[in-house]
Amino acid sequence: MSKRSAPKFTRAMLVLFPLAKAFASRGGDTEALLARNRIPLGALTDPAMLVEASACYAAMEDMAETLGDPYFGAKVAIETARKGTPGLRDAASRALTLGDFLSRVVVEVSKQVDNVRYSVLVSPDTASLEIQRTINVSKPSRQLDAVGVAFYVTVIRQGIGGTFDPNDIVVTVPTTAGLPPGFLPKQAFITSGINGLRISFPPQWLWAPFALDWDLVEAPRGELAPGGASEATLSYFRTVLADNIAHQDLNLDVFAAICGLHPRRVQRILLATGTSFSQMKDDVRQSVSEDLLSNTTLPISQIALQVGLSGPAALDRAFRRWTGKTPTGFRAESESDQDVQVVDKGSGSSTGNEP
């Protein structure tokens, strides 16, 4: 009797967060989606939580079907490739050439997931980035295939600039059904039963200068005070947190790397002021949430994702803890206060003309 292969796991936060954020912004119910696919709610907020890869793949297809958009995954992948993902921040910021970037990606991905194996193969005629799945996908993989192709082709295109020629790239993939028409020339695709995908290109591209202008904000730190706990330093920390609060894996180590400091030094600075990284992050998340509720008409689901929470229910729980109110109640009170201020100003101008 054959043994059943052990399930493969991935960090759902890395795989699904950009998709879940876009899904919610288009009116999708993220919590219902996760429940349907048996993915814990905390999987989108906990960078250490592992989820069966097959459940994540199913959730991708579920999102596209729910929204009625066969190109949903590819569109989100293209946008993510342009703006950046913290999971590959080091590879993108430290690489000098495309080959350097791809080799760093292979190392970084191997540390984060076990459902895929990345490799870079080079011959005199061709270089290839190969992504091999370690599980067999029994159901349609349109979104999964499209996300991988759209993300890495866009990254390569953006990273090497004018060196990129769409006529010199060949993508081998099980299906192209999830890719928008015109993403690459038709002759660039080979469909096959490959369990993953392969992106092939001229080997000289590996030595092309590589640079990505990813939107992972790194504010200028300036000089830290001798004691390290000046108000300017704390203000800088809050700015970095506010600018990056939507990124789910903004833990202490990532935050310290953005600031150009050792994590222990960040801890010492915050301890000297009587706070901690988790407390400051919570305070900034509350401040940004209140600002978006008071000054925008963004849906609650989108605000939740913009402050690094999984959905409306997660924001509701956090907001009750912060203020004792619901996000909807807080927004209603803010609108009421603004209306009162307008009336008061109008009344003031009238009485000012009275004798």
Side-chain angles (χ1 to χ4, degrees):
M1 185 172 65
S2 62
K3 292 182 179 180
R4 183 181 178 183
S5 60
K8 297 295 181 179
F9 294 90
T10 186
R11 287 182 170 84
M13 192 189 72
L14 297 174
V15 177
L16 290 183
F17 177 68
L19 293 165
K21 183 176 181 180
F23 180 70
S25 72
R26 293 174 61 173
D29 186 336
T30 305
E31 291 191 30
L33 174 102
L34 295 176
R36 283 198 300 272
N37 292 282
R38 299 181 179 180
I39 298 175
L41 183 62
L44 292 183
T45 57
D46 184 354
M49 183 178 291
L50 297 176
V51 175
E52 282 198 39
S54 58
C56 291
Y57 299 162
M60 292 181 185
E61 302 297 332
D62 193 337
M63 290 181 198
E65 291 173 7
T66 300
L67 296 175
D69 183 356
Y71 310 126
F72 170 71
K75 291 174 182 176
V76 176
I78 291 169
E79 187 65 20
T80 301
R82 289 172 178 165
K83 288 187 174 181
T85 171
L88 297 179
R89 185 181 68 85
D90 285 348
S93 61
R94 296 179 182 180
L96 299 178
T97 65
L98 175 60
D100 187 12
F101 171 74
L102 294 179
S103 64
R104 291 175 184 273
V105 167
V106 169
V107 173
E108 289 191 21
V109 171
S110 67
K111 295 177 181 177
Q112 297 170 4
V113 298
D114 74 347
N115 59 301
V116 288
R117 292 194 184 99
Y118 281 44
S119 59
V120 178
L121 306 177
V122 184
S123 72
D125 299 320
T126 306
S128 299
L129 169 66
E130 293 203 3
I131 302 175
Q132 181 183 8
R133 298 177 194 132
T134 58
I135 62 171
N136 291 317
V137 181
S138 57
K139 296 182 179 180
S141 58
R142 291 183 295 269
Q143 299 305 308
L144 177 61
D145 297 331
V147 165
V149 173
F151 179 81
Y152 281 106
V153 169
T154 302
V155 164
I156 293 171
R157 186 197 304 263
Q158 184 170 312
I160 64 176
T163 300
F164 183 90
D165 185 341
N167 297 309
D168 287 339
I169 195 167
V170 176
V171 177
T172 305
V173 69
T175 175
T176 61
L179 289 165
F183 177 70
L184 284 175
K186 289 183 178 180
Q187 63 270 22
F189 293 104
I190 297 174
T191 56
S192 80
I194 184 174
N195 189 23
L197 63 93
R198 180 186 304 117
I199 302 173
S200 303
F201 47 85
Q204 56 265 31
W205 285 15
L206 293 172
W207 289 273
F210 185 87
L212 290 171
D213 185 22
W214 274 0
D215 186 22
L216 298 175
V217 181
E218 297 188 37
R221 174 167 60 94
E223 293 300 321
L224 295 176
S230 72
E231 183 57 38
T233 299
L234 295 179
S235 177
Y236 165 71
F237 283 172
R238 293 188 193 101
T239 298
V240 173
L241 281 169
D243 287 339
N244 293 280
I245 197 67
H247 296 298
Q248 293 290 311
D249 58 351
L250 188 64
N251 56 27
L252 175 61
D253 289 345
V254 173
F255 174 77
I258 293 174
C259 296
L261 298 170
H262 192 282
R264 280 198 286 270
R265 187 172 185 200
V266 173
Q267 287 178 315
R268 285 196 296 270
I269 291 172
L270 295 176
L271 182 61
T273 64
T275 188
S276 65
F277 174 72
S278 60
Q279 181 59 54
M280 179 173 278
K281 184 177 178 180
D282 198 51
D283 292 343
V284 168
R285 179 172 281 150
Q286 176 183 353
S287 177
V288 174
S289 298
E290 291 180 352
D291 179 62
L292 291 174
L293 287 167
S294 299
N295 300 307
T296 77
T297 58
L298 288 174
I300 302 297
S301 59
Q302 189 168 346
I303 291 176
L305 292 174
Q306 288 201 6
V307 297
L309 297 174
S310 60
L315 180 61
D316 186 86
R317 288 191 296 271
F319 219 83
R320 287 176 186 273
R321 174 168 56 82
W322 294 330
T323 67
K325 305 171 186 175
T326 65
T328 303
F330 180 87
R331 172 171 272 173
E333 287 186 12
S334 297
E335 291 173 351
S336 177
D337 290 343
Q338 290 172 4
D339 290 341
V340 169
Q341 290 176 7
V342 171
V343 171
D344 287 345
K345 288 181 179 179
S347 300
S349 60
S350 298
T351 56
N353 292 326
E354 291 176 0

